[in-house]
Amino acid sequence: MDHDDEDVLMTDLAARPTSVSASFTWSGLERQARENESMNGHVGPGLASTLLNRQAAQSLASGSTGQKLRSASVLANDVAGNLNISSSKSEEESDDELNDDASEGKPDFSSDPLRYSKLPTGLCYDVRMRYHCELEPSPDEDGYVFGADPDLHPEDPRRIWSIYHELCHAGLVEDKMSIYGVVKNPLARIAARDASPAEICLIHTGTHYDFVKSLKNMSRHELQRYATEGDSIYYNKLTFLSAVLSAGGAIETCRAVAGRLVKNAIAVIRPPGHHAEADRAMGFCLFNNVCIAARVCQEDFGEDCRKILIVDWDVHHGNGVQKAFYDDPNVLYISIHVHMDGRFYPSGPNGDHLHCGKGAGIGRNVNIPWPSQGMGDADYMLALQNIVMPIANEFDPDLVIISAGFDAAAGDTLGGCFVTPACYGHMTHMLMSLADGKVVVCLEGGYNLKSISKSALAVTRTLMGEPPDRLASTAATKPGVATVQKVRLQQSKYWRCLYPKDNDQDIQNALGAERMHDIIRAYQSKHLYDNYKMVNLYIFRERISQSFENQVLATSDYHKAQPLIVIFHDP
């Protein structure tokens, strides 16, 4: 396109007050696109909007640019005239409003009923995050080492490559590995970057940051010693490089979604982060990626991103996230995890249902602790439908971040649960109804390469607009029902949407779920009292069905009556 064509294009676009491209300078878009495309084939988060506007303009300019655009303008004016469209505002007022929108430097979506669905889904992936790996292979329980492959540790560098390869194989990414073709609207790449010391220290202490940074200068012996002394962690000289990239990738992905450069996004990042605490690495985690990203978004976007919901479906409790926001009223943390009375990693009582936050953050910490492994789709859906979604809707977040560990997936022996890719898709779909669809999925755990790949693919397809697959299992287990009931009762102290409010109601007879014959019996009992002063008699039994409570009625002088008439009936 030469400069004359650019002038024609912008002239015609300026005549269309509803056009997204009217608020941009075309040459500026071209320059930004070239700069971003030069970064190792990756695009920055700002390019998503650039691509959209370029595509819109190119579709208008297809064929003979000048003539067809002019014809389109004439046709649009004819259609508007035939429809007799009128406005109560003068042309000057409309022009002023258009100029105000354009001055903000963002597309005006206010008149577009599909303003968000047209945006792409984002993807953050960087091969350099694979550089963090073990120095030596891990022996099994008998001390035997299988080969010399350093990827034997569960937190395997191949985890993120397996997911990325699966996305390419499905045609969702423009990459040479997408050998079967690419979908019409592929994932928009979001470039990872190093998180700055200031960003990391929003969550972590300076001492912890300095320690992780010092790993690159340590000897092999020192690295092995610190790994041995640590809690389920390993190090090498490139650990710091991968760790700051992982945190920076989470930041840029969240910023792209919060800033509406993409509609939603998935960050395929490692090392994971939700176990990392302010002053120590643990549980395969070095920096708490999701927490850092949440804090950065709150600082960068202010009131537009004040309330953040973090949903953690990793099979392990995110102790680091809980501690980071335990007294924060603006961050709601909900974790669904195996607890086993504190015997499952990270162990201890902090993951039980009684830890609900403190101070201003009371009620902003929700733990759904499964009593055992072996939980499946129906248990997770029960938790989403009865706890997560009611609380999340009442909280009304500005941004949703999913700490997406896939170690509860079927096939992951470390997690020992049976969640299917379809269930992960359904949970994602439900959460997409929140925060105007601003949802970010950040990878945490998951150690079966096939399971995490299929699960991440299901989540990504859902983010891109595909409906999730059907669920085969819909009946929750007894431990699952009991856990959900216990958590609802505890959290009902802090959330108006949750019932029951007391131990006398169970989850199957909460408000709005009474059986019809119980309602009829209650009415009859009240009617007999109001008209004949018949009162309830106490039934001497330890337990009795709710259907028979307050249903043995007698007149006030029943103990004197001769003879005594007893009537058995059922409505």
Side-chain angles (χ1 to χ4, degrees):
M1 182 183 292
D2 58 29
H3 291 295
D4 292 337
D5 287 337
E6 291 181 19
D7 293 339
V8 171
L9 175 61
M10 292 310 298
T11 300
D12 281 65
L13 289 177
R16 304 166 185 259
T18 60
S19 172
V20 172
S21 301
S23 57
F24 286 95
T25 302
W26 179 255
S27 60
L29 292 177
E30 284 287 308
R31 184 167 54 255
Q32 181 184 354
R34 286 195 295 270
E35 291 173 355
N36 283 304
E37 289 168 353
S38 67
M39 300 189 301
N40 299 322
H42 297 283
V43 301
L47 188 54
S49 295
T50 303
L51 291 174
L52 287 174
N53 288 285
R54 180 191 294 176
Q55 291 169 359
Q58 286 176 341
S59 65
L60 290 172
S62 60
S64 177
T65 304
Q67 182 61 37
K68 290 196 174 184
L69 283 172
R70 291 189 180 92
S71 298
S73 298
V74 172
L75 177 61
N77 290 330
D78 290 343
V79 171
N82 292 333
L83 293 176
N84 193 25
I85 299 174
S86 62
S87 173
S88 60
K89 296 181 181 180
S90 65
E91 291 185 4
E92 290 79 5
E93 290 175 330
S94 299
D95 290 341
D96 289 341
E97 289 183 2
L98 179 59
N99 291 332
D100 290 340
D101 291 335
S103 66
E104 295 179 3
K106 293 184 178 181
D108 176 21
F109 291 126
S110 59
S111 60
D112 188 347
L114 300 177
R115 54 191 181 276
Y116 299 140
S117 63
K118 294 180 180 179
L119 294 174
T121 294
L123 166 67
C124 180
Y125 170 80
D126 194 305
V127 68
R128 292 174 294 171
M129 296 181 201
R130 295 183 64 192
Y131 296 169
H132 169 64
C133 62
E134 283 188 293
L135 289 171
E136 295 180 351
S138 299
D140 64 11
E141 294 179 356
D142 298 323
Y144 182 74
V145 177
F146 295 90
D149 186 353
D151 292 349
L152 290 174
H153 190 280
E155 209 291 280
D156 188 331
R158 293 174 298 183
R159 295 169 60 242
I160 57 172
W161 183 87
S162 297
I163 294 174
Y164 182 72
H165 179 268
E166 188 74 21
L167 298 180
C168 291
H169 188 78
L172 307 185
V173 186
E174 287 193 56
D175 190 281
K176 62 182 179 181
M177 289 196 295
S178 301
I179 58 176
Y180 299 107
V182 180
V183 297
K184 183 178 180 181
N185 297 306
L187 295 164
R189 296 295 296 274
I190 299 171
R193 63 167 174 84
D194 292 353
S196 69
E199 290 170 333
I200 292 174
C201 289
L202 290 171
I203 297 296
H204 297 281
T205 64
T207 302
H208 177 64
Y209 175 83
D210 291 340
F211 167 74
V212 179
K213 184 177 181 180
S214 70
L215 295 172
K216 61 184 180 181
N217 299 318
M218 290 185 184
S219 67
R220 189 181 187 88
H221 174 73
E222 289 176 310
L223 292 169
Q224 290 175 328
R225 178 170 63 86
Y226 279 115
T228 302
E229 294 174 353
D231 181 356
S232 301
I233 195 72
Y234 62 78
Y235 307 112
N236 70 13
K237 288 180 176 292
L238 296 177
T239 290
F240 177 72
L241 168 65
S242 296
V244 294
L245 269 176
S246 185
I251 292 172
E252 285 306 305
T253 306
C254 288
R255 292 185 74 256
V257 173
R260 274 297 184 211
L261 302 179
V262 292
K263 63 182 175 184
N264 49 45
I266 181 169
V268 184
I269 55 177
R270 68 173 291 272
H274 72 149
H275 291 309
E277 297 183 354
D279 57 354
R280 67 168 178 156
M282 60 179 290
F284 314 158
C285 305
L286 290 111
F287 296 133
N288 205 314
N289 307 317
V290 164
C291 292
I292 294 168
R295 278 285 185 249
V296 170
C297 285
Q298 285 179 325
E299 290 201 348
D300 288 356
F301 295 96
E303 194 63 24
D304 291 336
C305 195
R306 177 173 59 86
K307 295 193 295 181
I308 296 178
L309 166 64
I310 300 174
V311 176
D312 188 342
W313 64 45
D314 189 285
V315 79
H316 302 95
H317 178 240
N319 54 291
V321 185
Q322 176 168 300
K323 289 187 176 181
F325 300 123
Y326 203 57
D327 58 354
D328 191 331
N330 292 316
V331 178
L332 170 60
Y333 177 59
I334 304 178
S335 176
I336 311 174
H337 55 271
V338 173
H339 185 56
M340 294 173 59
D341 293 326
R343 299 189 306 275
F344 199 74
Y345 193 87
S347 304
N350 290 338
D352 66 23
H353 71 290
L354 299 175
H355 282 74
C356 304
K358 67 177 182 180
I362 191 70
R364 296 297 193 265
N365 194 86
V366 182
N367 287 326
I368 305 173
W370 301 133
S372 64
Q373 295 173 295
M375 312 307 284
D377 290 356
D379 300 300
Y380 277 76
M381 292 304 295
L382 184 72
L384 263 288
Q385 292 166 345
N386 287 276
I387 299 175
V388 178
M389 293 308 298
I391 291 178
N393 276 297
E394 185 173 331
F395 180 67
D396 190 22
D398 301 310
L399 176 68
V400 177
I401 307 176
I402 303 174
S403 284
F406 295 113
D407 39 7
D412 193 304
T413 56
L414 193 63
C417 291
F418 303 101
V419 180
T420 65
C423 183
Y424 285 119
H426 277 274
M427 292 193 290
T428 303
H429 190 261
M430 294 169 73
L431 294 169
M432 287 169 62
S433 67
L434 304 166
D436 294 325
K438 295 180 181 179
V439 176
V440 181
V441 178
C442 291
L443 181 65
E444 294 286 357
Y447 309 105
N448 180 299
L449 300 184
K450 182 177 180 180
S451 297
I452 62 173
S453 300
K454 297 299 182 183
S455 299
L457 174 62
V459 167
T460 306
R461 291 177 70 251
T462 303
L463 290 174
M464 296 178 77
E466 285 295 299
D469 293 336
R470 293 185 177 185
L471 295 173
S473 174
T474 57
T477 63
K478 289 184 177 180
V481 173
T483 300
V484 169
Q485 179 178 343
K486 179 171 60 177
V487 175
R488 280 169 60 100
L489 179 61
Q490 178 68 20
Q491 291 293 333
S492 67
K493 303 173 184 176
Y494 316 112
W495 300 97
R496 291 173 297 175
C497 61
L498 290 188
Y499 294 87
K501 299 290 186 182
D502 57 64
N503 280 313
D504 293 332
Q505 286 183 296
D506 61 29
I507 191 172
Q508 296 170 331
N509 289 301
L511 184 67
E514 294 87 351
R515 294 180 295 181
M516 180 59 69
H517 53 268
D518 290 336
I519 297 174
I520 294 173
R521 286 188 177 118
Y523 168 78
Q524 290 176 331
S525 177
K526 183 177 185 302
H527 175 77
L528 292 172
Y529 174 80
D530 291 341
N531 292 276
Y532 306 105
K533 302 304 178 186
M534 296 183 71
V535 296
N536 300 314
L537 298 184
Y538 177 74
I539 301 175
F540 189 72
R541 291 186 62 178
E542 291 184 1
R543 298 186 64 183
I544 187 170
S545 169
Q546 180 181 348
S547 296
F548 300 107
E549 289 180 354
N550 305 322
Q551 290 301 311
V552 179
L553 308 176
T555 57
S556 57
D557 59 346
Y558 76 95
H559 59 289
K560 300 178 181 178
Q562 292 290 340
L564 179 65
I565 300 176
V566 180
I567 301 174
F568 294 90
H569 71 97
D570 192 272

